[in-house]
Amino acid sequence: MSAIDLAIVGAGPAGLAAAATAAELGLSVTVFDENTAPGGQIYRGIEAVAGPRARDLAVLGPAYAAGKAVVERFRASKAGYSPATTVWLVQKDRRLGILRDGKASMVEARRVLIATGALERPVPIPGWTLPGVMLAGAAQSLLKASGMVPAGPVVLAGNGPLLWQLAAQFVAAGVNIAALLETGSAYKAALPHLPAVVLAGGYLAKGLGLIASVRKAGVPIRRSVEGLRAVGKGRLQAVEFTAGGRAERIPAELLCLHQGVVANAQLGMAIPLKHEWVEAQRCWRPVLDAWGNSDVEGIAVAGDGAGIGGADAAVHAGRIAGFEAARALGRIDAAARDARAAGDVAAWRRHLRARPFLDALYPPARALRVPADDVMVCRCEEVTAGQVREAVRQGGTGPNQVKSFTRTGMGPCQGRMCGLTISEIIADALGKPVAAVGTYRIRPPIKPLTVGELAALE
């Protein structure tokens, strides 16, 4: 099998924009996507919503509707699309291990673009493993993919733009929101970044509009919430917390948690690409040049997987990566790349101006980053924060040693749901910065596949 010019992992805004751009410049392109239709998390189900479920566009809002044009341009291009396909391996020689229809195989590419987007930050609180508790992104996925909304009272808890966006969407869908619990917004810390966010475009107006729509609907809002916990026997029955020094309990059938999003660095770390700790976003991101190139020849990263910037920034980053792929593979020269990409580079930088404000305004609460001993932090292996601290007392100096002691990060999620929390706990216990403690050493396969699938590798 001859190598394709550009293999793209992920069909979110960055991957789709890169694919269309590169294909329009004459490259052979294939996008590998775990989902059954393009759009990624942010534009999930956009083709169905824009067609048979057009009425849902009003519920999901204009930011979501913008994905229609991104997907249409991708569909109109000559880029190939491989849906329902898991990429479980990317090697430095740009060979990819994929799994589709139960069959594992290898694909060769002259260049690879990782566009795996973002993950929600884990929110380990007492009771977060109860049925009836989920992350806000999961609830939003159900709304986008199938129009599903909860029937009973819902509590939204945490902080960040996505929490307010989901609340506004639930309001538009007629959901009974029992309360929105904000775990802390650092208004004073964000104030110096206010001029930059104003210059970034409509971010401030959009955010204020979401908050206003939730307030107008009469949703009870609690600020500076602490001691958040989910309680119930067998499933969620209520949410308990303290606000303004007063203990409260709200009955609920669903609790949606959110503490912001972080770069999905899993695949890049498995290669491995060089990564750095970003204190402002409290997550890891790959070290890249201005065009998205990593320290490994022929492998680039674009979109939120390169650092959180949002969907609009990701589209421009994808196009920039598409122009760079064409240059790297000899379709255009550097001067042509620079000229073609100039508008996208300017727009990408403008969108990123909003990030310092948002990062400062919505820091993840320390109590949620470094939970109490009795809180389960590794759901796959059922390991508590106390067990992690005990492993540190026994000599564990980093996540990989603690993994050996406790099996944290060895379950099906391969550390995606616990990695940041484990590093934060260890850093706190040792009195060191997270950057000094490090993170899990990720090894392929980064997604589960059976021994039979691997043994039958073509």
Side-chain angles (χ1 to χ4, degrees):
M1 174 180 168
S2 60
I4 56 177
D5 289 331
L6 178 61
I8 298 177
V9 186
L16 296 177
T21 301
E24 288 163 3
L25 291 170
L27 300 185
S28 60
V29 182
T30 301
V31 177
F32 298 97
D33 182 16
E34 282 190 331
N35 298 313
T36 56
Q41 169 60 21
I42 189 68
Y43 299 139
R44 183 181 297 276
I46 185 65
E47 289 177 311
V49 174
R53 293 170 46 218
R55 64 185 183 279
D56 290 342
L57 279 178
V59 170
L60 294 167
Y64 173 77
K68 182 175 182 288
V70 178
V71 173
E72 285 178 345
R73 181 174 179 182
F74 167 70
R75 290 290 198 187
S77 75
K78 294 183 179 179
Y81 181 52
S82 181
T85 302
T86 298
V87 176
W88 51 269
L89 167 72
V90 174
Q91 297 183 163
K92 287 187 175 182
D93 63 1
R94 299 176 301 283
R95 289 200 302 164
L96 292 78
I98 67 171
L99 180 67
R100 186 177 187 187
D101 297 329
K103 297 179 180 178
S105 61
M106 300 296 293
V107 175
E108 295 183 7
R110 298 175 65 196
R111 188 172 176 85
V112 175
L113 177 65
I114 298 173
T116 47
L119 296 170
E120 278 192 273
R121 186 186 302 278
V123 191
I125 65 169
W128 76 312
T129 59
L130 281 171
V133 181
M134 64 171 61
L135 295 182
Q140 193 180 57
S141 290
L142 290 171
L143 179 59
K144 291 175 179 178
S146 57
M148 292 179 63
V149 295
V154 179
V155 171
L156 308 180
N159 68 15
L162 177 62
L163 192 73
W164 288 100
Q165 184 184 59
L166 179 62
Q169 290 169 340
F170 273 179
V171 164
V175 174
N176 175 14
I177 303 178
L180 189 151
L181 312 178
E182 196 171 46
T183 54
S185 298
Y187 295 102
K188 289 184 179 180
L191 201 57
H193 304 290
L194 189 58
V197 77
V198 171
L199 293 174
Y203 286 90
L204 192 60
K206 175 184 173 183
L208 292 174
L210 292 174
I211 294 172
S213 67
V214 175
R215 286 184 174 280
K216 185 178 180 181
V219 174
I221 298 172
R222 302 288 190 274
R223 304 279 189 182
S224 302
V225 167
E226 297 178 337
L228 186 65
R229 60 190 301 118
V231 296
K233 294 182 179 180
R235 66 163 292 108
L236 177 74
Q237 294 173 318
V239 180
E240 296 179 347
F241 60 95
T242 301
R246 177 185 172 189
E248 294 190 49
R249 176 188 174 97
I250 298 178
E253 294 182 9
L254 178 66
L255 170 62
C256 297
L257 298 169
H258 185 69
Q259 282 288 312
V261 295
V262 298
N264 183 359
Q266 204 87 354
L267 185 56
M269 285 183 168
I271 295 174
L273 308 179
K274 184 178 180 181
H275 283 71
E276 62 184 356
W277 175 256
V278 183
E279 185 64 25
Q281 297 183 349
R282 299 201 71 83
C283 69
W284 300 91
R285 71 179 179 196
V287 177
L288 308 170
D289 69 10
W291 298 95
N293 296 303
S294 73
D295 63 317
V296 176
E297 179 68 27
I299 300 181
V301 187
D304 278 353
I308 303 303
D312 292 333
V315 170
H316 295 292
R319 287 179 52 78
I320 293 166
F323 290 127
E324 171 61 3
R327 183 215 58 83
L329 298 178
R331 289 287 181 174
I332 58 176
D333 60 20
R337 174 204 62 187
D338 294 351
R340 289 171 180 263
D344 287 292
V345 170
W348 174 66
R349 289 173 177 169
R350 184 179 69 253
H351 286 299
L352 290 183
R353 288 176 186 165
R355 288 317 308 177
F357 176 83
L358 294 172
D359 294 338
L361 181 62
Y362 295 121
R366 186 184 183 281
L368 301 177
R369 293 187 289 105
V370 188
D373 281 352
D374 61 342
V375 177
M376 188 180 299
V377 292
C378 176
R379 298 169 64 118
C380 297
E381 298 296 329
E382 299 185 345
V383 179
T384 65
Q387 290 174 297
V388 174
R389 292 188 177 97
E390 179 60 30
V392 173
R393 286 191 287 269
Q394 292 177 9
T397 58
N400 295 300
Q401 291 81 13
V402 169
K403 179 193 287 188
S404 298
F405 293 168
T406 65
R407 289 189 56 84
T408 56
M410 296 182 72
C413 88
Q414 291 288 282
R416 279 179 289 276
M417 285 295 292
C418 69
L420 284 174
T421 306
I422 298 300
S423 293
E424 292 266 16
I425 293 171
I426 296 170
D428 179 72
L430 295 175
K432 294 182 177 181
V434 176
V437 167
T439 187
Y440 290 135
R441 185 178 300 110
I442 309 299
R443 293 189 174 95
I446 68 161
K447 294 291 181 73
L449 71 163
T450 68
V451 173
E453 289 165 345
L454 190 60
L457 185 68
E458 294 175 3

